Amino acid sequence: MNISEKNFNKIFHVFLCLIATAMIFRKPCSLLIIVFAVFNLIFFKKLKYTKTSLLLMACIASPVLLELLLFWNNDSFVKGLKAIEKSTSLVIFPLFIIGNYQRVNFLKLIQTYVVLTTLILLFFFIRFNVVYPELMHKYLNGIHLWEMGYQFANSLGIHAPALNMHLAFVSVCALYFVFESFKNHENVKFKIFRFIIFLLSFFFVLFVNTRMALINALIGFFLVFFFEIKSKFNLKKIVLAALTIVVLLGGILFFFVQKDPYMKEKYSTVSFAYMDKIGKLDEIDHPEVKVFNSLVTRVSIWKSAWELSVKNLPFGVGASDGKPELNKYYKATNQHFLAKYEFPTHNQFLDFLLKFGILGPLVVILYIFTIGYLGYDLKNAIILSFFIIFFTSNLIDDFLLRFDGIAFSGFWFSVFGSYWLQQKLLIVNRQ
C-alpha cells in the first residue's frame, strides 16, 4: 500500500492526538492503540531505529521485559499472560512512536492534547451537573464534600487519583502555553483562550481534589514559571515573579477552600489521623469511615508489603500473585480491615519488590528516572513536571498496575524520547 509522506505524517499525528486525548477512557483508547499498531505494521518500512533509540525503547519496555524474564515465577500461566497483556502498550508505543520519532510534532501534539482534554472535561462536567444535580446541590451546600471528586471520576469510568494525575499534567502544560502565547506575541484572542483553558484545567484539578495531584500541579507551575523567566531575567526578577505566582495561586486556593471547607480538613486532620495505629487499624472504631484514605492506612499496607517482600526475596511472588499473596498476608496477620477491602500496595516500588524481588524496584527507578533524565537534559519544564507527577504519584499508588498509568506513562515517555532524539539529531547536524 502506497501513501505519500505528507499524508502519512498527518495520519500519524492525528493518531497521537486521539490516543493522548482518549487516555482517560480505557476502552476507546485501547481500541485506538490497536488500530494505531495495525496502521504502523502496514507501513512498517517507514520505521527507523538507531542504537540510541533502541536503548531508549528498552528502557520504556523494561517493565514488560522484567515480567517476561521472571514469567516462570507465576503460579498460573494464564494469569501471568494477563499480567503481560496489560503492559503491551509499553512495547507498542516505543516500537511505533520512537520508530517514527522524526514525525512527532512535540509542541503541536501537547497543545492539541491540552485543549481537547480540557474541553472534553468541560463537556462531562456540564453533563455531570445535568445527570447528577443532587450531588452538585450537596456540593454547593457543603454536604459530603469528600465524595464529589470520586463521583465525578466514576462518571467517566476512571479512578479519581488516576484522573487527577492526568489533569495535573494538562494544567501544567496549559500554563506553559499561556507563557508561550506572550513569548510568540499571539493576538489577544488567543492569549485569552489559552488563559481560560488554563483556568478550567486547574479548576478540574481542584474539583477532583486529590492531594498529590494538587501538590504536583503547583510544583509543575513553579517549574514552568522558573524556566520561562530564567531565560530572560536575572535571579532577583525570578524570585519576585515566583512570589507573585505563589500569591496568585494562594488566592485561588484560599477562595476554593472557603467554598470547600472539607479540603482544609482533608489536607490536615484526615490525612494524618491515627498515626499511632500503624498495622493495628482494626483497633479504630469504623476504620472504613475514619481512615480509608488516610496516611496510616497507606503506611500499614506498606509495612505488610515490605514484610512479605522480604520473605520472598530474591525473586518475589510473581507478577500475577502480588495482590492475592498480600491479601493472604493481611488475613494471616489478623488485619481484617485491610483484608476486607483487599488493598493493593499503593506504592509502585514496593509492588515491584513484592512481585519481582530485588530487580523490581530497580526497573521502576530505571523507567521513571529515565523520564527525569530526558527532562533534565533538555531543560524542559513539561517533561520535568511529568516526571515529578508520575514519580510522586507512584510513591503513594501503583500506576504501573493500571491501564491509565501504564498507557499514560508509556505514551508520553515515547513522545518525550522522540523529542529528545530530534534535539540530539539537530545538534549532530549543526556539527
Side-chain angles (χ1 to χ4, degrees):
M1 185 181 294
N2 293 322
I3 185 173
S4 70
E5 190 70 13
K6 183 179 179 180
N7 287 335
F8 181 86
N9 290 345
K10 284 182 179 179
I11 296 171
F12 182 77
H13 181 73
V14 168
F15 264 121
L16 294 186
C17 292
L18 290 176
I19 291 171
T21 306
M23 197 64 70
I24 57 179
F25 306 103
R26 184 177 65 83
K27 290 183 179 179
C29 190
S30 297
L31 180 60
L32 280 168
I33 292 170
I34 293 170
V35 177
F36 175 68
V38 172
F39 171 75
N40 281 279
L41 285 172
I42 293 171
F43 299 102
F44 70 94
K45 290 184 179 179
K46 293 184 178 292
L47 299 170
K48 294 181 181 179
Y49 304 104
T50 64
K51 290 182 180 179
T52 304
S53 68
L54 288 172
L55 182 61
L56 194 55
M57 289 167 61
C59 290
I60 299 171
S62 58
V64 184
L65 297 177
L66 180 62
E67 288 192 41
L68 290 171
L69 178 65
L70 297 178
F71 186 82
W72 57 268
N73 201 25
N74 291 298
D75 289 340
S76 167
F77 179 81
V78 175
K79 290 181 178 178
L81 286 179
K82 286 184 177 179
I84 291 175
E85 184 270 333
K86 286 168 59 178
S87 302
T88 51
S89 59
L90 296 183
V91 175
I92 292 173
F93 287 140
L95 190 64
F96 298 127
I97 295 178
I98 291 184
N100 288 293
Y101 77 90
Q102 289 177 286
R103 296 181 170 88
V104 175
N105 191 327
F106 178 67
L107 289 179
K108 189 176 180 181
L109 170 61
I110 297 276
Q111 185 175 339
T112 305
Y113 160 70
V114 167
V115 173
L116 288 181
T117 303
T118 304
L119 293 179
I120 288 172
L121 263 292
L122 178 60
F123 168 80
F124 278 98
F125 177 73
I126 294 170
R127 173 185 172 274
F128 185 75
N129 280 268
V130 174
V131 177
Y132 304 102
E134 69 283 358
L135 289 176
M136 287 304 301
H137 178 75
K138 288 165 62 177
Y139 179 76
L140 294 173
N141 286 277
I143 303 170
H144 292 175
L145 296 170
W146 57 270
E147 70 176 341
M148 187 55 60
Y150 283 85
Q151 292 286 358
F152 178 62
N154 288 340
S155 72
L156 300 175
I158 187 172
H159 189 46
L163 174 61
N164 229 15
M165 177 178 65
H166 293 249
L167 295 180
F169 181 55
V170 170
S171 191
V172 170
C173 293
L175 180 62
Y176 173 85
F177 286 108
V178 169
F179 280 101
E180 286 297 297
S181 67
F182 283 93
K183 184 189 294 184
N184 297 330
H185 305 291
E186 293 181 346
N187 64 50
V188 176
K189 289 182 180 179
F190 273 107
K191 291 177 181 177
I192 293 173
F193 176 73
R194 295 194 191 284
F195 190 67
I196 290 172
I197 290 293
F198 165 65
L199 290 179
L200 283 172
S201 64
F202 187 50
F203 165 77
F204 291 131
V205 172
L206 293 172
F207 184 73
V208 176
N209 195 13
T210 55
R211 286 156 287 199
M212 187 55 69
L214 176 57
I215 294 169
N216 284 332
L218 295 176
I219 293 173
F221 294 163
F222 174 78
L223 285 174
V224 169
F225 198 84
F226 177 80
F227 278 98
E228 288 294 326
I229 299 299
K230 183 182 178 182
S231 62
K232 294 183 178 181
F233 302 105
N234 58 33
L235 182 62
K236 183 178 179 180
K237 290 184 178 180
I238 293 174
V239 173
L240 182 61
L243 290 174
T244 302
I245 200 71
V246 166
V247 171
L248 178 61
L249 291 176
I252 295 172
L253 285 172
F254 177 78
F255 175 78
F256 207 90
V257 169
Q258 293 302 110
K259 294 295 181 181
D260 185 356
Y262 176 71
M263 193 172 175
K264 186 192 303 181
E265 182 183 349
K266 179 179 180 179
Y267 283 71
S268 55
T269 56
V270 171
S271 295
F272 302 102
Y274 299 99
M275 289 304 293
D276 59 323
K277 298 296 183 182
I278 295 172
K280 301 177 288 184
L281 300 179
D282 294 289
E283 294 180 8
I284 302 170
D285 186 34
H286 299 299
E288 62 273 7
V289 175
K290 296 180 178 178
V291 295
F292 197 91
N293 290 313
S294 296
L295 181 61
V296 65
T297 301
R298 290 282 204 281
V299 178
S300 296
I301 295 167
W302 298 340
K303 180 175 180 290
S304 296
W306 171 260
E307 292 169 353
L308 184 59
S309 298
V310 170
K311 290 182 179 181
N312 287 277
L313 292 175
F315 299 115
V317 300
S320 65
D321 304 306
K323 189 174 181 180
E325 290 298 322
L326 187 58
N327 289 332
K328 289 179 185 177
Y329 189 76
Y330 293 151
K331 294 174 183 177
T333 52
N334 296 314
Q335 298 184 83
H336 304 295
F337 168 62
L338 297 182
K340 178 182 178 181
Y341 291 98
E342 299 183 342
F343 286 98
T345 53
H346 283 291
N347 179 290
Q348 193 58 66
F349 298 89
L350 279 175
D351 178 74
F352 267 45
L353 177 65
L354 176 60
K355 290 178 178 177
F356 305 113
I358 296 170
L359 288 175
L362 296 178
V363 166
V364 178
I365 290 170
L366 172 68
Y367 183 82
I368 297 178
F369 277 83
T370 301
I371 301 174
Y373 168 76
L374 296 179
Y376 174 79
D377 192 47
L378 292 170
K379 302 296 185 292
N380 186 285
I382 289 177
I383 302 176
L384 283 173
S385 296
F386 184 95
F387 158 69
I388 290 171
I389 289 169
F390 198 66
F391 169 62
T392 55
S393 295
N394 278 291
L395 290 177
I396 61 168
D397 224 316
D398 30 32
F399 284 108
L400 289 179
L401 287 180
R402 308 167 53 89
F403 172 84
D404 41 41
I406 296 169
F408 177 62
S409 61
F411 177 83
W412 288 114
F413 194 167
S414 300
V415 170
F416 299 153
S418 297
Y419 183 59
W420 180 77
L421 289 169
Q422 289 174 8
Q423 300 307 304
K424 294 301 172 187
L425 185 61
L426 282 175
I427 293 172
V428 170
N429 290 338
R430 286 170 185 167
Q431 293 174 345

